[in-house]
């Protein structure tokens, strides 16, 4: 049985690139680029950084990409403005 040695330095570099990405779109792009280099350790580290759990039998890459796609949709949506249509004293604005 041949055990492939994990390149810890490369894993750390890839993890830091992922964590430093400024958007979920960028994170998806990075994951696609490093897909051939991903191992279970790096997948688990990325999942932990996103606070998601990968259940047994599921493909970690797919789970992470689905989560990033969902988050990416919300990044593109306009934010709710809680005080829109209200005066500073909390009353409605008459139009």
């Amino acid at each position: 049985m041949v055990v492939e040695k994990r390149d810890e330095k490369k894993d750390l570099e890839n993890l830091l690139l992922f964590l430093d990405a400024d958007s979920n779109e960028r994170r998806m792009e990075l994951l696609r680029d490093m897909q051939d280099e991903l191992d279970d350790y790096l997948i688990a580290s990325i999942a932990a950084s996103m606070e998601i759990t990968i259940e047994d039998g599921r493909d970690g890459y797919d789970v992470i990409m689905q989560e990033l796609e969902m988050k990416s949709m919300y990044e593109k949506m306009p934010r709710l403005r809680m005080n829109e249509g209200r005066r500073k004293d909390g009353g409605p604005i008459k139009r």
Side-chain angles (χ1 to χ4, degrees):
M1 182 168 132
V2 177
V3 176
E4 187 177 323
K5 185 177 179 185
R6 204 175 97 241
D7 186 347
E8 292 178 19
K9 184 177 179 183
K10 186 67 175 172
D11 279 353
L12 182 58
E13 288 172 3
N14 285 335
L15 180 60
L16 291 175
L17 277 173
F18 180 86
L19 294 174
D20 288 341
D22 57 355
S23 70
N24 288 308
E25 288 283 333
R26 178 69 181 133
R27 287 183 185 96
M28 288 190 304
E29 182 182 316
L30 286 167
L31 274 182
R32 282 186 212 105
D33 290 347
M34 65 175 86
Q35 187 172 7
D36 293 336
E37 302 170 21
L38 292 174
D39 58 16
D40 290 341
Y41 178 82
L42 187 53
I43 291 282
S45 297
I46 289 171
S49 77
M50 296 175 62
E51 298 181 352
I52 59 175
T53 303
I54 300 172
E55 297 173 14
D56 289 340
R58 303 249 354 245
D59 182 354
Y61 175 83
D62 289 340
V63 172
I64 291 169
M65 288 299 279
Q66 288 170 358
E67 182 79 10
L68 288 171
E69 286 170 5
M70 183 182 63
K71 287 182 176 187
S72 175
M73 284 189 332
Y74 288 104
E75 278 182 346
K76 295 175 186 175
M77 293 175 69
R79 295 185 183 255
L80 270 175
R81 296 188 183 156
M82 296 304 289
N83 293 325
E84 192 173 292
R86 298 246 172 226
R87 298 187 312 237
K88 288 187 181 193
D89 66 2
I93 295 175
K94 294 182 183 175
R95 296 182 190 209

